[in-house]
């Protein structure tokens, strides 16, 4: 069980025990660190101020990718690391990290030339150790247009197909959180670090506000890691250690179109003509398109797409694909996330490196920022190596072995096994819940499927609000908004019952869901 009851039990333990490591932030970075640390033998707690994956880790392009464009920036080390990690993460969660062939159209008057692309993709495959059968294939103009008939043909001179992986970022994060829990870490959502506790100017703990119950408590740990993504600098400020390098936040927006409005046959990575590239990714009944990359200085708690963002994306789609001109009215939903990048003087948003960096303060606070979803495991390994080196050199701890800890229980040994499982259960259930799809379907014999899913998430995924369920556990807000609007009426009363809410709380939750829907379709500014 990993439920609201588990949460209360863990909070009691937080107050009475002390820990080797406290991780701040339940995005993919913090989740990865907690799993790595606990599996090596460190007594680890993790606190997240909203829900797990509330921040950037539910608002990415949802690709486990090598980052082709980093080749252009000559970041070979980064491409090698994240490129090789793709296959590892696929192996750890083959139901959730799915192979996805990407089409790269080449144009006469813009973007890369054929020779350079051919060489670049070869290098990309080589750096990442891609299997021969998955390596890049160059296409003629005719083959490119056959591969994607929706492409506006006038300027196309050819193309390439190369291998990437697609995921659901929030689901990947929750699976890593749960795997961490199975391996001994204690992760809790809706608990915010409001201050640090010091002894002799060394950080030895944190003051926590349980946002759900409006209570406060202290937690003590030998080592403290700040993995708060876009909020990393706020915690460094709290620690009075924000010196030298600082974060540079950029916003990235995706729009969601019904599949019939943009019926691309496969994932496409296309040149926009202004030096940027964007993705169009089909997924079940929708196609999503993104991303933008603009400097951001407003609220980190509420990040939404502006009119300018969606106009930019719609313009790119309308120029690239045939068919009726798409407008704002065709957009079903959207999301916007913040990249927690490291500031580099004189560089534009798109030019900033995506590499992660670790900062150590005089008080002992360790902060990590930058990076990618794809590289979460290696980032975690580096941070935990540092923690062990600083505080636990004498302890008998294992070396990092997260490359062999499956992210489901029971896990799938291979992708063909997932494909076989999909013959028994719908792709949605298998890709969302993995092997737990079977229990959910069994439960659905006596209730609606959505309520069987809710039961599963309440019991096993620490769901505390209807938004946790509809946005981050099932992805309904992004991928099936109708399911959210119709499912809300049956879900809310069950949550009220199971979580002991009063009527006012249930109405607040209903309002919050309606606001999320409205804000995902209302583009201002
Ligand atoms: C538009 C966009 C597209 C992207 N696409 C991809 C992609 O396709 N593939 C890829 O590999 N990478 C991609 N990335 C990068 C990737 O999404 C991020 O690197 C990653 O999600 C960052 O995770 P994180 O855990 O560091 O931050 P977050 O996910 O933001 O997690 C930090 C968490 O810390 C919590 N927190 C903050 N303050 C406190 C506090 N005081 N107390 C407790 N908790 C706190 C926050 O609530 C938050 O949940 C993309 C990024 C963006 C913005």
């Amino acid at each position: 069980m990993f439920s609201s009851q588990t949460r209360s039990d863990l909070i009691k333990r937080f107050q009475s025990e002390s820990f080797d490591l406290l991780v701040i932030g339940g995005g993919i970075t913090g989740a990865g660190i907690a799993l790595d640390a606990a599996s090596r033998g460190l007594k680890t707690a993790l606190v997240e101020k909203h829900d797990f994956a509330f921040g950037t880790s539910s608002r990415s392009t949802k690709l486990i990718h090598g980052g082709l464009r980093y080749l252009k920036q000559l970041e070979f080390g980064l491409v090698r690391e994240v490129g090789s990690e793709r296959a590892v993460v696929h192996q750890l969660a083959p139901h959730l990290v799915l192979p996805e062939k990407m089409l790269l159209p080449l144009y006469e008057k813009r973007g890369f030339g054929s020779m350079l692309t051919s060489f670049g993709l070869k290098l990309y495959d080589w750096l990442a150790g891609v299997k021969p059968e998955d390596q890049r294939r160059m296409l003629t103009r005719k083959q490119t247009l056959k591969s994607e008939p929706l492409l506006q043909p006038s300027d196309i001179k050819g193309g390439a197909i190369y291998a990437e992986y697609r995921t659901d970022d929030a689901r990947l994060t929750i699976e890593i959180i749960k795997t961490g829990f199975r391996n001994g870490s204690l992760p809790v959502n809706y608990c915010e670090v409001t201050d640090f506790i010091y002894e002799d100017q060394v950080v030895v703990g944190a003051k926590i506000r349980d946002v759900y119950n409006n209570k406060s408590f202290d937690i003590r740990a030998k080592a403290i890691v700040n993995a708060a993504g876009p909020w990393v600098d706020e915690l460094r400020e709290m620690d009075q250690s924000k010196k030298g390098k600082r974060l540079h936040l950029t916003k990235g927006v995706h729009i969601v179109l019904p599949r019939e409005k943009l019926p691309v046959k496969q994932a496409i990575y296309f040149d926009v003509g202004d030096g940027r590239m964007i993705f169009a990714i089909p997924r079940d009944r929708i196609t999503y398109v993104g991303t933008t990359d603009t400097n951001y200085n407003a609220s980190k708690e509420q990040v939404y797409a502006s009119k300018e963002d969606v106009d930019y994306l719609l313009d790119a789609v309308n120029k690239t694909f045939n068919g009726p001109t798409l407008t704002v009215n065709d957009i079903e939903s959207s999301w916007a996330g913040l990249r927690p990048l490291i500031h580099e003087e004189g560089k534009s948003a798109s030019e900033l490196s995506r590499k992660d960096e670790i900062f150590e303060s005089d008080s002992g606070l360790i902060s990590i920022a930058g990076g990618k979803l794809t590289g979460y495991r290696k980032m975690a390994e580096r941070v935990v190596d540092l923690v062990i080196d600083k505080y636990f050199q004498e302890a008998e701890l294992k070396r990092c072995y997260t490359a062999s800890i499956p992210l489901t229980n029971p896990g799938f040994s291979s992708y063909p096994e997932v494909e076989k499982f999909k013959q028994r259960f719908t792709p949605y259930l298998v890709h969302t819940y993995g092997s737990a799809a079977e229990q959910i379907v069994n439960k659905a014999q006596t209730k609606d499927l959505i309520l069987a899913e809710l039961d599963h998430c309440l019991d096993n995924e620490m769901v505390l609000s209807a938004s946790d369920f509809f946005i981050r556990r099932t992805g309904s807000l992004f991928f099936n908004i109708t399911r959210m609007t119709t499912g809300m009426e049956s879900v809310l009363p069950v949550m009220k019952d199971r979580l002991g809410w009063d009527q006012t709380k249930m109405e607040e939750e209903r309002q919050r869901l309606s606001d999320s829907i409205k804000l995902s379709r209302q583009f201002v500014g």
Side-chain angles (χ1 to χ4, degrees), residues 484-497:
M484 182 164 171
T485 46
T486 55
M488 196 189 295
E489 290 316 318
S490 51
V491 161
L492 285 168
V494 175
M495 292 197 79
K496 175 174 180 276
D497 230 37

Side-chain angles (χ1 to χ4, degrees), residues 25 27-29 48-49 56-57 60-61 63 193 228-230 339 371 373-374:
I28 198 151
T29 309
E48 160 56 53
K49 74 170 167 173
T56 308
S57 300
S60 74
T61 309
L63 292 174
V193 168
R339 299 178 185 83
L373 280 177
T374 312

Side-chain angles (χ1 to χ4, degrees), residues 52-111:
F52 303 120
F54 166 88
T56 308
S57 300
S58 55
R59 305 153 195 244
S60 74
T61 309
K62 307 180 193 299
L63 292 174
I64 294 299
H65 66 151
L68 186 56
R69 70 187 199 84
Y70 313 135
L71 262 192
K72 208 168 130 191
Q73 294 166 328
L74 306 180
E75 297 215 44
F76 299 121
L78 181 64
V79 175
R80 182 192 293 277
E81 180 171 300
V82 286
S84 328
E85 275 301 291
R86 294 178 301 182
V88 178
V89 189
H90 166 65
Q91 188 60 37
L92 296 177
H95 72 288
L96 182 57
V97 178
L98 315 172
E100 178 87 48
K101 289 279 191 253
M102 193 70 71
L103 173 67
L104 179 76
L106 298 173
Y107 292 92
E108 288 293 352
K109 295 187 194 101
R110 57 189 152 114

Side-chain angles (χ1 to χ4, degrees), residues 429 437-460 469 483 487 490-491 493-495 497-498:
L429 285 175
E438 184 155 14
Q439 296 149 28
I440 294 171
V441 166
N442 288 340
K443 268 197 181 167
Q445 287 175 356
T446 55
K447 53 175 79 178
D448 285 353
L449 178 62
I450 198 162
L451 296 182
E453 287 181 63
L454 177 66
D455 270 357
H456 172 80
C457 292
L458 285 167
D459 292 340
N460 301 292
F469 179 66
R483 196 163 190 249
S490 51
V491 161
V494 175
M495 292 197 79
D497 230 37
R498 293 271 324 256

Side-chain angles (χ1 to χ4, degrees), residues 117-329:
T117 304
S118 174
F119 172 73
L121 286 171
K122 188 114 195 131
L123 181 63
Y124 188 63
D125 284 341
W126 178 75
L127 284 170
V130 173
K131 287 187 286 185
E133 64 271 26
D134 280 337
Q135 287 180 3
R136 68 102 174 91
R137 212 157 35 89
M138 297 307 292
L139 306 179
T140 61
R141 171 183 153 85
K142 203 167 153 198
Q143 287 168 326
T144 306
L145 293 172
K146 189 164 171 227
S147 184
E148 186 45 75
L150 207 64
L151 281 170
Q152 166 67 251
S154 50
D155 224 9
I156 301 268
K157 65 177 176 194
I161 298 263
Y162 66 101
E164 294 284 21
Y165 295 86
R166 171 166 71 79
T167 192
D168 178 326
D169 44 9
R171 289 264 5 138
L172 184 60
T173 304
I174 188 74
E175 294 300 356
I176 300 169
I177 288 278
K178 290 187 325 189
T179 308
F181 180 65
R182 283 198 296 277
N183 281 270
S185 90
L186 309 183
V188 160
N189 51 5
Y190 295 101
C191 276
E192 177 179 12
V193 168
T194 54
D195 210 346
F196 290 112
I197 303 169
Y198 298 89
E199 272 171 16
D200 299 326
Q201 294 168 358
V202 173
V203 65
V204 293
K207 296 203 165 294
I208 312 285
R209 193 166 71 91
D210 173 354
V211 185
Y212 192 71
N213 294 307
N214 202 15
K215 289 187 180 150
S216 294
F217 60 91
D218 292 353
I219 184 163
R220 300 189 71 97
K222 199 150 187 187
I224 301 188
V225 169
N226 165 15
W231 293 263
V232 154
D233 273 357
E234 277 181 16
L235 286 145
R236 290 171 76 210
E237 259 164 36
M238 207 184 270
D239 178 56
Q240 300 187 346
S241 59
K242 199 184 132 193
K243 300 175 201 136
K245 292 194 175 178
R246 63 182 163 90
L247 286 199
H248 182 137
L249 302 184
T250 76
K251 181 172 74 160
V253 164
H254 292 83
I255 52 172
V256 178
L257 297 153
R259 186 76 175 265
E260 66 272 14
K261 298 274 179 190
L262 189 61
V264 287
K265 277 170 55 183
Q266 65 172 97
I268 305 181
Y269 188 36
F270 59 95
D271 199 289
V272 182
D274 63 356
R276 294 198 62 251
M277 310 266 303
I278 64 179
F279 293 98
I281 301 180
R283 182 183 171 127
D284 307 328
R285 48 171 298 287
I286 58 109
T287 300
Y288 63 91
V289 177
T291 174
T292 57
D293 199 358
T294 50
N295 291 331
Y296 187 81
N297 296 306
S299 162
K300 292 190 268 291
E301 311 297 324
Q302 298 184 319
V303 191
Y304 301 107
S306 69
K307 177 83 175 47
E308 202 180 323
D309 296 326
V310 301
D311 283 349
Y312 174 84
L313 294 174
L314 284 170
D315 185 50
V317 169
N318 287 326
K319 279 188 182 139
T320 306
F321 300 101
N322 278 325
T325 302
L326 297 174
T327 72
V328 167
N329 297 332

